[in-house]
Amino acid sequence: MRLIGNLLLVIAVTVGALSASSAYVVPLASTPAEALTGLTLNASAGLAIGDDGAPTGDPLAAKGDELTTDLVAQLKAQATADPPVRLDDDTPAVTRVQVQEFRFGLWPGKWYFLLSVVGLVVGGYLVKTAGKKAIEAAHEEHQESGVAPEDALARMKSTADALIAELPNMASDHDRNHAIVERFGALQRDEVQFFVDARTLLIARLGLGGFAALMDRFAAAERQINRAWSAAADGHFGEASACVNRASPLLEETIGRLRGGDV
Amino acid sequence: MDETPGDPRQRPYREITLSAIIFGIVVGALMNASITYAGLKIGFTIVGSAIAAVLGFGVLRGLLRRGSILETNIGQTIASAVNTPNSGVIFTVPVLLLMGYQLSWSGGDFWLLTLACVAGAVLGCAFIIPLRKQMIDIERLRFPEGTAVGAILKSPGAGAKKAVVLLIGIALGALFFLPTALPDIRVKSDIAELDTLLYDEKVSEADAALTRMIDGWVTANAAPEAVVARGQLLKQRRDLIADADGDDAPDTSALDTQIANATLPEDLGAVSDDLAVAAASATAGDRTWESLRNARLGWATKPLWGYGDLNVRIAEERDENGDLTEKADRDGGGRADLLLEDKQVDVGRFFGLPPELQLIFAITPLSLGAGYLSGRPGLMVLAGGVLAYFVLNPFLFNMGLMPPTVDAVNAPGFGFSNFNRPIGIGLLLGGALMGVVSALPAIKEALKSIAGAGKTAGGSDELGLKVLVIAAIGALLVLFVAADMMDNRPLNLEDPVTSAEVAPDTAHKTRVNGYEVGFTSQENLDAFLTWDADAVDAYMDSVNGKPGLFAGLPSHIRSALIAIIGAVWIWFAGIIIAQCTGMTDWSPISGMALLTIVLVMLLAGTGDVLGAVLIGATLCVAITCAADMMADLKTGYIVGAMPKRQQIVELIATGAGPLITMAVVLLIAQVNMTTKGVPMGPGTETTAPQAQALQAVIIGVQGGEMPYALYGAGALIGVLLGLGVFAGLGVLVGLSMYLPFIYISTYGIGCLLNMGFSRIKGKRWAEEWGVPMAAGLIVGEAMVALITNFVILLRG
């Protein structure tokens, strides 16, 4: 269903953009002369014909010119000529004019555009529905496998707690800083990424508002982890240690919010 | 010495320091000046965060030997805050110079514009504060440049190997970009190599002819009499003006008449006034003849070495007469065209694609790196680009929706400006609107969190909602004052009755179509009031004075409404730009400037160019600063900086940016006026391409040429895309339709490389080693670009 939805979206966007592009480009042959007369050209139109009967390479009318009865007649004649009037085999024939005024009735692609709107709505619905089913499946899979965002948070919390316990027993600030850089570095690489990747699952569980409230606390904790890492990398144990101590309760709060305690 | 863990660490962790502030301001000011000049010359600017981060390491940690990661972060935050506003200014303000408005140090308009830009910078930073939590903490947008700067700042602590990867990235970025940047620097060519330069299409026929002419004069120690005579008159005029006292303008009318009569024969038509004066001076013995071999006087210059010199050309293909076919020689230069040019490589022609399908890659490691950092989400940009340039434009061309005089080679360009760009901007708007609507619950939570934290004893870790409220009031005030001042100025520069010049502060005014029309005297005003409606309409048409939507409202109410709509629009546009840079690193500033000017002219009327540009400049500066602030906050998040501290320094420092940029713009305009007779644009070194594009839009609005239906259709598609897949999809697709494909293609390769490495080597490997490499590529190009700009500025 997702594939069909995506395909429908791609087709609808393409058709929509193509048909929208024709909003100001009016076909000469099928449009009544009186509907064209009085409009203003927004690009050059037609081809000037030389004495030898061949196009000179110059346009018949320039951008900004008003379409007079005479000019419309000349343009319509070029558009219905057989063989078609064109500069050479590699350029298109004279068939349309681009005008400044938008008229819904003169828009050749209007029905295609409306069709594309329907396609976008249906395609979007299919993708959304498929997305919901995928989230439900992922949720069940997570529950069955026992690998859940809570686990990543718990591992982060236990790393911070372990550091708080072990740092005082280390021999030097150099060792302490090294331990913070190594262990928090690993957290940044693995656990944070794992938790962040579970975004869709978390939104499905908590709703967008609940997810926002959860991420608010998580981000506060992550910033302390990042700051601890930076300070430790700079050899400033005082700041690094303070940040480790601040990170732990923030992670606790995040876990609480995820469990639904304060969402 | 061993330190026991129980010891208090009294030494504070270095974050906001005097060294970081001075470093940031000095580096930011240097970058601002050089990038302003280069932006006016070549049309685009670079963001300086990555360069400032690397320089910060060199200065704060290398030279001063005491900088920390967070101190360097503050240094780069200030530097980019001072530098960033330049793009907002140079995309908008020069359009006034192009349209004949005068700016001077003593004029009120210059200072009003400067004030508006400074206010815009502060407002942009303040308006985006409440969205930091939503975009960075909750939405976790990537902000490729911010991520790259974060990787740079962390590199020394992340281990020697990653630092080496970063350095290799910088070296590769610089190396690959050098042959692209060097040709922007042009040096004086030798007369003996003119033929070769002509053959290589590095010098135009006209320049070569003029150079040979000058060489002939130097060899003969004599110039044609007509040139010398004209030069003497011009010199007398310049001396007269230079010797004049203070404000008293000398009477040059007699000389002007003589100069007008001293025209040069057709074969000497390329001789500029400067060259004529120099020839007269050399004849009089005031300067050497040799000094006429000067690029400023028209002597041909050649670009420094670039990729084009590798001479990688398309295969020669000749017709039955032995001439090169158009397929091989599109530019008619007499040689097969280059496949590898200084700034791009044409892969499409190598594979023999039809001319309307132009598969060209810009040589830009910066885009490659940004694409890598965006990864899979950025691929949507490539998809949108493919849709626009490989489906829409070829289809529209072949179905005859382009004029019959547009050939296949020019079809992508025509399609871009007539279809892709307006639909793309519409998509951007619709996509961004959906982004805001769908993020409302998250924004509500973020605001709740900021407001709640502000009430606790420790306070919030970022600036509170008070700043937003103050900023909103400030925005309204500045915009109201600007709109009101513009509203009370006469629309016309000349008296409708006598065509005499009208002073901006004239007391003789009347209101027509919502505009003030000024007169030099009460008699002229009275005479005007007797004109019939048709005559008045005809006059108002001649000064583009069509009424705006608010034309019927009283003046102050109209100004207030424009101010309110302008402030809301600044906030919304800031979100659009922050979303764009957050997801892709591209920011559609010129598109937003265009929409702002269209919006103001619709509301205030098509004659209110000064007001529209003033509000447009405010907005442009605001949104560039908003995007920069978000990227800096992303960097700060990665390294654990306190958002509040970054926000404070950015808010304080950013106001300096527009001052520097405006001063540079005015200096350049004054120098151009003296040497070239025009302040900016064609005929000068600073052609201001973005401002020229904006000027075309203004003229388009005045002429009723804006394709509103295309904007609307694009916006509807953007909204529906956002409803279906994800809210920001319309932004990504719209952005790709709005940008030239040559940058999207290179960016797309970066995205694909990320996906490839993730699949082959694993996501962790791609992140751990790819990010420092990508960051290096960005820094390498940015540094070379900055150095080149600086050289151009010094030589210019």
Side-chain angles (χ1 to χ4, degrees), chain A residues 9 18 20-21 24 92 96 98 100 168 171 173 176 188-189 196 208 216 222-223 226-227 230 234 236, chain B residues 2-3 5 9 11 13 15 61 69-70 133 140 399 418 438 449 461 637 639-641 708-710 764:
Chain A
L9 283 175
L18 274 172
S21 301
Y24 292 91
R96 293 172 164 84
Q98 191 177 331
Q100 287 182 10
D173 273 3
R176 292 175 200 114
Q188 289 169 331
R189 242 185 353 253
V196 170
L208 195 52
D216 180 47
E222 191 193 353
R223 192 179 311 110
N226 294 345
R227 191 174 178 88
S230 295
D234 282 330
H236 198 291
Chain B
D2 188 12
E3 293 172 89
R9 272 68 177 181
R11 182 170 52 96
Y13 186 44
E15 195 164 356
R61 297 182 75 130
I69 290 173
L70 295 189
K133 265 186 188 295
R140 296 187 79 91
M399 292 301 291
N418 283 267
S438 68
S449 166
D461 56 4
Y637 186 85
V639 297
Y708 297 110
L710 296 190
R764 183 169 154 178

Side-chain angles (χ1 to χ4, degrees), chain A residues 28 39-49 56-68 70-72 74-75 78 94 96-99, chain B residues 403-405:
Chain A
L28 284 162
L39 298 177
T40 315
L41 288 172
N42 206 22
S44 62
L47 289 168
I49 307 296
T56 60
D58 293 324
L60 182 63
K63 179 180 175 177
D65 285 355
E66 189 183 315
L67 286 171
T68 58
D70 185 37
L71 185 54
V72 169
Q74 288 183 64
L75 286 166
Q78 290 195 351
V94 177
R96 293 172 164 84
V97 286
Q98 191 177 331
V99 296
Chain B
T405 44

Side-chain angles (χ1 to χ4, degrees), chain B residues 54 160-173 772-773 776:
Chain B
V54 172
K161 281 185 185 170
K162 282 190 186 167
V164 169
V165 171
L166 176 73
L167 289 174
I168 291 173
I170 293 175
L172 284 176
M773 174 60 81

Side-chain angles (χ1 to χ4, degrees), chain B residues 115 130 189 257 382 434 473 583 639 778:
Chain B
L115 174 71
S189 60
T257 311
L382 182 64
M434 276 313 296
I473 293 170
M583 288 191 275
V639 297
I778 290 173

Side-chain angles (χ1 to χ4, degrees), chain B residues 403-415:
Chain B
T405 44
V406 173
D407 60 16
V409 176
N410 293 308
F414 185 89

Side-chain angles (χ1 to χ4, degrees), chain B residues 308-327:
Chain B
D309 291 290
L310 290 172
N311 256 317
V312 180
R313 290 175 184 273
I314 195 165
E316 285 199 0
E317 187 184 275
R318 294 183 182 276
D319 58 20
E320 59 273 17
N321 301 323
D323 297 329
L324 281 170
T325 60
E326 201 182 325
K327 191 178 164 193

